[in-house]
């Protein structure tokens, strides 16, 4: 089934009051963020989306795909499900080597395609994480960051999922600059749950959560996009600093000060 | 009356699945009875009695393998459920030797597997999986979507015609599909016949003879080197 749009109808917040955001629509190519304090219901909102909620979850939200309730096969057969959900906590439990696992998944998903898709997936993942994945490693040996990176790469390349949900990837040691740049090249719907200003500012719009409810949508405007460029540089500086420390180098105070001054 | 036989390795979520199923069957107006067959400990009868107020029983198989015990007691259990005026009898059983399977012709066979059990499990449990009608895969909340797909493929490799239902049984997600399978299953007809072929011969180990070494046993035995053969009268 070809996905054209996803429509989400609001339900009720934790206090049982109707949500202020009554509905929003996502088209292919849209990148959005869900923001708000811890416990405000961000994960619950993308859970609802991942389940194609149809007035059957505590929030009473509804999700329509191309204008209709999702067909049952989306939930019954994961390879027919257009949504890939990279959760906050998922770890791999399978002790198969990475390449064997990806090979089986590739066979299920794109029967006929040649096996270069495995190395393509590992390379994609390795651009997102500081610690490269060895395809011979067992899945269970991967670190949190490697796991998240491989899940994203698998969803994009092998799963070819049209809709990808990502819950707080910034905490998993993923290179966000790289991730956004890479992901924007694909014509998909991306929904980020995030506390990261960089991801939020580079999204098409963001949904603000309070007390279990969607309280408003904020669209990116030109001023914000201009700031986003600065934030990117600041972010890159922090990443550079992190890399220096990781590599056991000393940080040159004068150089750092100069670069910091350029931001004020 | 419909008969649902639910098998699966220990702690895979059989009871959790059947509780979710029972809740839905009762809401739809059906009369349900429940039987648990286990080796030496079970408290499910109390749970079903208390939570749903339905007739519930447990049977300890003790020295017998639970699947063999199932063959012995199920005829009486069906009669018992009939006197309860039940529309549906749910039987939960802990398979043990993995050579037998508890499913019966004209009943619905459910095997409950946990998604967290490793990719090789579907290849290891034999007729418990291959002779079932529906594989209910629990604990999908604990693994990634990619692993769910691979686990599903491994199940289908071992049992090509099986229906796979994936659930987070704690929250009842995906259970409606299992309930639909129960609605569309046949009514039982006599005689009740075991679906699979039981393992060869009568096992003296199963009936409690503990001494190690094939010389101490009769029936079908085998030494370390060489084939199985028949020893005895
Ligand atoms: N996270 C998660 N836990 C589950 C799920 N299904 C069952 N559990 C948990 O798994 C444990 C075992 O579940 P039971 O339903 O008692 O398993 P069982 O197969 O009946 O076990 P025995 O009858 O003792 O062999 C319990 O702690 C359940 O709460 C699930 O879908 N997700
Ligand atoms: N609309 C709602 N109605 C009822 N409970 C909710 C609602 N939204 C969130 N919750 C509950 O609030 C708690 C925190 O939500 P969660 O989505 O985990 O927050 P976050 O991801 O923003 O930290 C959860 O226990 C969740 O079930
Ligand atoms: Mg969260
Ligand atoms: Mg049980
Ligand atoms: Zn046996």
């Amino acid at each position: 089934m070809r996905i054209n749009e996803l429509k989400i109808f609001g339900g009720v917040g934790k206090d049982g009051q109707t949500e202020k955001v009554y509905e929003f629509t996502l088209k292919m190519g849209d990148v959005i963020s869900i923001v708000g304090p811890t416990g405000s219901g961000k994960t619950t909102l993308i859970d609802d989306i991942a389940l194609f909620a149809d007035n059957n979850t505590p929030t009473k939200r509804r999700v329509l795909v191309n204008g209709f309730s999702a067909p049952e096969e989306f939930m019954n057969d994961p390879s027919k499900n257009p949504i890939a959900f990279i959760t906050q906590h998922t770890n791999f439990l399978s002790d198969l080597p990475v390449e064997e696992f990806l090979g089986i998944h590739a066979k299920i998903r794109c029967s006929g395609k040649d096996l270069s898709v495995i190395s393509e997936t590992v390379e994609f993942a390795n651009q997102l994480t500081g610690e490269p994945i060895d395809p011979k490693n067992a899945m269970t040996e991967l670190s949190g960051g490697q796991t998240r990176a491989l899940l994203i790469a698998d969803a994009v390349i092998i799963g070819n999922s049209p809709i990808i949900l990502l819950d707080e990837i910034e905490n998993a040691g993923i290179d966000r600059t790289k991730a956004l740049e890479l992901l924007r090249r694909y014509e998909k719907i991306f929904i980020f749950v995030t506390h990261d200003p960089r991801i939020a500012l580079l999204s098409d719009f963001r949904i603000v959560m309070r007390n279990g409810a969607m309280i408003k949508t904020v669209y990116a405007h030109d001023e914000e996009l201009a700031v986003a460029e600065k934030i990117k540089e600041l972010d890159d500086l922090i990443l550079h600093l992190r890399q220096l420390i990781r590599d056991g180098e000393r940080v040159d105070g004068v150089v750092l000060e100069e670069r910091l001054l350029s931001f004020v | 009356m419909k008969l649902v036989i639910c098998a699966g390795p220990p702690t895979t979520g059989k009871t959790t699945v059947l509780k979710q199923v029972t809740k839905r069957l009762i809401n739809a107006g059906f009369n349900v009875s429940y039987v648990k067959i286990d080796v030496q400990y079970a408290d499910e009868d109390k749970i079903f009695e208390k939570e749903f107020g339905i007739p519930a029983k447990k049977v300890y198989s003790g020295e017998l393998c639970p699947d063999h015990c199932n063959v012995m007691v199920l005829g009486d259990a069906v009669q018992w459920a009939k006197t309860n005026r039940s529309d549906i009898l749910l039987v939960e059983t802990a398979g043990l030797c993995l050579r037998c399977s508890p499913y019966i012709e004209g009943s619905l066979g459910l095997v409950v597997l946990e998604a967290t059990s490793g990719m090789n499990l579907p290849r290891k449990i034999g007729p418990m999986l291959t002779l079932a009608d529906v594989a209910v895969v629990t604990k999908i909340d604990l693994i990634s979507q990619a692993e769910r797909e691979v686990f599903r493929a491994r199940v289908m490799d071992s049992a090509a015609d099986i229906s796979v239902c994936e659930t987070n049984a704690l929250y009842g997600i995906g259970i409606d599909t299992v309930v639909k399978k129960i609605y569309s299953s046949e009514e039982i007809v006599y005689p009740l016949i075991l679906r699979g072929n039981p393992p060869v011969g009568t096992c003296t180990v199963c009936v409690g003879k503990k001494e190690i070494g094939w010389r101490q046993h009769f029936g079908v035995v085998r030494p370390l080197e060489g084939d199985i053969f028949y020893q005895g009268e």
Side-chain angles (χ1 to χ4, degrees), chain B residues 121-158:
Chain B
L121 181 93
R123 296 173 169 179
K124 291 180 184 170
I125 57 171
M128 190 201 279
L129 171 61
T130 55
L131 294 178
D133 301 293
V134 181
V136 183
V137 178
T138 56
K139 312 195 185 180
I140 54 169
D141 48 310
L142 300 178
I143 69 167
S144 67
Q145 198 165 331
E147 277 185 301
R148 275 170 61 184
E149 286 174 43
V150 172
F151 190 77
R152 184 191 186 85
R154 288 285 172 105
V155 170
M156 310 280 281
D157 279 350
S158 297

Side-chain angles (χ1 to χ4, degrees), chain A residues 193-225:
Chain A
V193 166
T194 189
H195 296 290
D196 183 71
R198 176 118 220 265
I199 295 176
L201 289 176
L202 288 176
S203 302
D204 298 310
F205 64 89
R206 44 196 195 265
I207 292 177
V208 185
M209 304 296 300
R210 278 291 179 293
N211 201 21
M214 303 185 277
I215 57 161
K216 63 177 173 183
T217 48
V218 180
Y219 282 82
H221 58 85
D222 294 346
E223 249 174 71
E224 278 188 350
L225 289 176

Side-chain angles (χ1 to χ4, degrees), chain B residues 64-91:
Chain B
L64 280 175
C65 137
D67 290 332
H68 297 183
C69 179
N70 180 54
V71 173
M72 305 299 150
V73 303
L74 205 62
D76 295 346
V78 168
Q79 281 310 320
W80 167 76
K82 281 191 170 166
T83 58
N84 299 334
R85 303 191 167 283
S86 285
D87 310 296
I88 300 169
L89 169 62
L90 303 176
V91 178

